Every structure is written in structure tokens, then in C-alpha cells.
Amino acid sequence: MRSYTLLAAAKINLYLEIVGSRPDGFHELIMVMQSVSLCDRITVRSIGVDEIRVRCDHPLVPADETNLAYKAAALVMSQYPGAMAKLGGVEITIEKQIPVGAGLAGGSSNAAAVLVGLDLLWNLGLTQSELQELGAELGSDIPFCVSGGTAIATGRGEQLDALPGIDNLHLVIAKYESEFVSTPWAYKTYRAEYGDTYVTDAKGWQERQAQVRSGEMVRAVARRDAIAVGQHLCNDFEKIVLEAHPKTAALKATMADLGGLGTLMSGSGPSVFTLAGSEAEAKELATKLRTALPDSDLGVWTAQFLPSGVQLVS
Ligand SMILES: C[C@](O)(CO)[C@H](O)COP(=O)(O)OP(=O)(O)OC[C@H]1O[C@@H](n2ccc(N)nc2=O)[C@H](O)[C@@H]1O
Ligand SMILES: Nc1ncnc2c1ncn2[C@@H]1O[C@H](COP(=O)(O)OP(=O)(O)OP(=O)(O)O)[C@@H](O)[C@H]1O
């Protein structure tokens, strides 16, 4: 039976500005997103029966039809019903490394890898933008996870413009295992507290564009200026999530004090990252962090920037 194994990369948000609400209930965003080398391992394998099966040992990840990886396979199956009939069903094995509910797009990256893997397994010959369109039906972060690298993301996060990659940037990622943030909760809470700052008309949008701070980050990335990238890190969600999660707020303060190029919460949190100019510096920061916060509940990882979101291993 044929199988493909892929690495599905986590993402961080170097910049995340919530600009307004949309008629579809989602939020208009301006983001700079980056793939990092904290990866889940996804295997898609043909099976003789016309079924989608998910195997995952992680206690917080459902191994049923609510798994985003299952949903991705079900979507491909519904769009291309002939493929499964001809080539059989699929067993998806998920080996988790990316912490769950962390703001690192773990589930979205798994779904992206399944889309890429099934395209190969079922000989569909889809383009990257066709895979991204399928992904957008399931979640806003999935199109970015398909292509990955470094990109500006606008709309609800699915409109992507690739940026030149920044090589050789490393990072430390940390998260308290007992802390989780629900993404719908984060958007709902942000809207309740800051909805009055949202752009609602063309005039508001013009005024907002005049003060859009993302330009500084985009220029820093385009110049491959790691120091400027560290200086312009920004995430609107910090305003509400760090207030609701004092332990994570204290973690961020500790990480920022240890040095590095800059510290930020990723996405809707609660994971926090510090950028570092080299692998040695990232490892040193991770060691210092474990010494400063010797708490068995704290997960600490080192990683580096990646130029892609899904990588075929075999
Ligand atoms: C926070 C980020 O991770 C930043 O990259 C993303 O915006 C979240 O992306 P995601 O997890 O793929 O989100 P989705 O699965 O599309 O949506 C989950 C929920 O988040 C809210 N949501 C998401 C994206 C967006 N632009 N506006 C929203 O209001 C909606 O309430 C939605 O019901
Ligand atoms: N393949 C999957 N991997 C991880 N979580 C999954 C998966 N499928 C479904 N889930 C569920 O999705 C929820 C969110 O998990 P995930 O790790 O994707 O969050 P996240 O990193 O905060 O997402 P994002 O950054 O895209 O908002 C969890 O409660 C988990 O049970």
C-alpha cells in the first residue's frame, strides 16, 4: 500500500493587527506569518476500505471526524469522489510535537499536510492555490500552512502575499501545558473590549492605513533585518489574553528580560516566543528560561524559521 510522510510546520505571527469585523462574522486582519521548525509528522496511507481513519496518541487531540486532518480528507473526498473509489481510503497518522491550543496552528498545519499528502496519494494534480482554496473552507490559517515560509496575510488570514524568507533566525517557544486559549473566545473577547476601534467605512480605513504599523515589520522582513524584526513584533491579542492569563503574562516578562531580539505571544496564544540570532543563542535562552522558571508545567522548545509549511519526507 502506498504512503507519504510529511512534516507539518507550526506558525508564529510576527505581526497581528485586528482591523475590523466582517459581514461573515470573522475579523479583518493584517498579519505577518512565519513557519517554524516545530513540526508534527503526518503519514497518509492507502487502505483497502473506503474510509478515512485517524490515528493520534495525543490525549488532547480527537482521533475522529472532528479532527481537522479528518475534515481535510473528507473535503477532498467530497470534491473528488472518484479518487477514493479508484485508489481506496486513507489512514492518517498524526505524531504531535506542536503543543495543542497554543496559537501555533497545530491543527491547521495537520490539515494542510493532509491536503498535500492526499493530492499525492490520490494523484489529483492540484496546484498550490487549489489546495489553499480547499484549506480556506476549513480554517483561516490553513492556506498559509499549505505554502508557509514568510507571508503577509490579510482578509480573514487567507489572502497571502509571500515575503522574502529570513534565513538563520532562531527562536525559543514556551507554553504552560495547563494554559489554553480558545481562538473563538479570543476574537469574541477582543471584539467586546475593542470593537469600538474597528474600521467600519472607507474613511476609517484610509485613516487606519495612514497609521498602519505593519509597514515597519514588512520593511524589516524585506531588508532581512533581524534586529528590526525583533523591534516591530506586535500582536493585538496580547491586550486581552495576557490580562486573562497572568501566568503567561509573567512568562512573557521573564522571557523578554532574558535577552534575545524580541518577545511576543503567538496568534491567540498562549505560547510565547523570543527571537534569537543563532541556534546557540536560542539554546542559551532556553536554558536560562528553564533555570529562571523551574516549573514542570512549562514546555520549552527551540526552533528556526522555515521557508515552507509542509515538507515531504518520504
Ligand atoms: C489567531 C490566528 O491563529 C492568527 O493566525 C487565526 O486568526 C485563527 O485562525 P484559525 O484557527 O484557522 O481560525 P478559524 O478556524 O478560521 O476560526 C475560528 C474562529 O475564530 C474567529 N475568527 C477567525 C479568523 C478571523 N479572521 N476572524 C475571526 O473572528 C471566528 O470566531 C471563528 O469561528
Ligand atoms: N489535528 C489536530 N491537532 C491539534 N488539535 C486538533 C486537531 N484536530 C482538532 N483539534 C482540536 O482543535 C483545538 C485547537 O487546537 P490547535 O492546536 O489547532 O490550536 P491553535 O494552535 O491555538 O490553533 P490556531 O493557532 O490555528 O488558532 C484543540 O482543542 C484540539 O482538540
Side-chain angles (χ1 to χ4, degrees), residues 18-300:
I18 303 173
V19 179
S21 54
R22 300 157 46 106
D24 60 8
F26 280 69
H27 286 78
E28 196 71 35
L29 305 170
I30 302 176
M31 303 192 284
V32 176
M33 303 176 81
Q34 175 64 52
S35 303
V36 298
S37 63
L38 180 57
C39 295
D40 290 341
R41 203 179 168 87
I42 309 292
T43 301
V44 292
R45 188 172 71 88
S46 291
I47 51 176
V49 283
D50 286 359
E51 273 177 24
I52 300 166
R53 291 183 192 152
V54 174
R55 290 166 46 139
C56 182
D57 289 340
H58 196 292
L60 299 174
V61 178
D64 59 19
E65 68 286 349
T66 63
N67 193 298
L68 262 184
Y70 182 104
K71 288 185 184 175
L75 180 65
V76 177
M77 194 183 84
S78 71
Q79 301 280 317
Y80 304 94
M84 191 194 262
K86 205 163 84 193
L87 295 165
V90 62
E91 180 183 77
I92 302 163
T93 306
I94 304 173
E95 295 165 73
K96 289 301 285 185
Q97 289 288 330
I98 305 173
V100 175
L104 296 170
S108 304
S109 77
N110 296 178
V114 166
L115 293 174
V116 173
L118 281 184
D119 179 48
L120 297 169
L121 198 68
W122 288 344
N123 302 324
L124 299 174
L126 299 176
T127 62
Q128 187 171 78
S129 56
E130 285 169 332
L131 294 172
Q132 288 174 316
E133 272 171 41
L134 283 173
E137 291 187 33
L138 298 171
S140 312
D141 274 345
I142 300 176
F144 172 76
C145 291
V146 169
S147 49
T150 315
I152 303 174
T154 51
R156 65 180 171 92
E158 88 292 14
Q159 304 287 335
L160 299 169
D161 289 292
L163 284 168
I166 322 173
D167 301 331
N168 293 330
L169 254 184
H170 294 253
L171 67 162
V172 182
I173 302 170
K175 175 191 177 285
Y176 283 110
E177 279 172 28
S178 57
E179 302 241 307
F180 301 95
V181 176
S182 136
T183 303
W185 170 86
Y187 278 105
K188 213 172 74 191
T189 308
Y190 191 89
R191 184 193 294 239
E193 286 201 32
Y194 295 99
D196 57 347
T197 67
Y198 285 177
V199 170
T200 51
D201 56 13
K203 183 168 168 285
W205 180 243
Q206 265 173 7
E207 284 168 6
R208 187 63 165 257
Q209 274 179 325
Q211 38 158 304
V212 160
R213 294 158 288 151
S214 61
E216 308 267 16
M217 174 58 81
V218 173
R219 275 190 288 280
V221 171
R223 290 200 312 268
R224 296 188 165 93
D225 181 342
I227 291 172
V229 169
Q231 283 166 345
H232 293 105
L233 295 172
C234 163
N235 182 351
D236 274 347
F237 277 124
E238 284 194 341
K239 290 187 270 194
I240 53 144
V241 176
L242 296 184
E243 198 180 310
H245 293 266
K247 223 172 137 181
T248 294
L251 168 65
K252 189 193 164 191
T254 303
M255 289 174 75
D257 280 350
L258 293 176
L261 298 172
T263 300
L264 191 74
M265 188 181 82
S266 180
S268 53
S271 64
V272 178
F273 64 86
T274 296
L275 300 181
S278 67
E279 187 179 358
E281 193 192 345
K283 286 195 167 144
E284 194 188 321
L285 286 169
T287 306
K288 281 192 196 164
L289 180 58
R290 288 193 191 97
T291 310
L293 297 174
D295 184 338
S296 60
D297 191 36
L298 185 67
V300 181

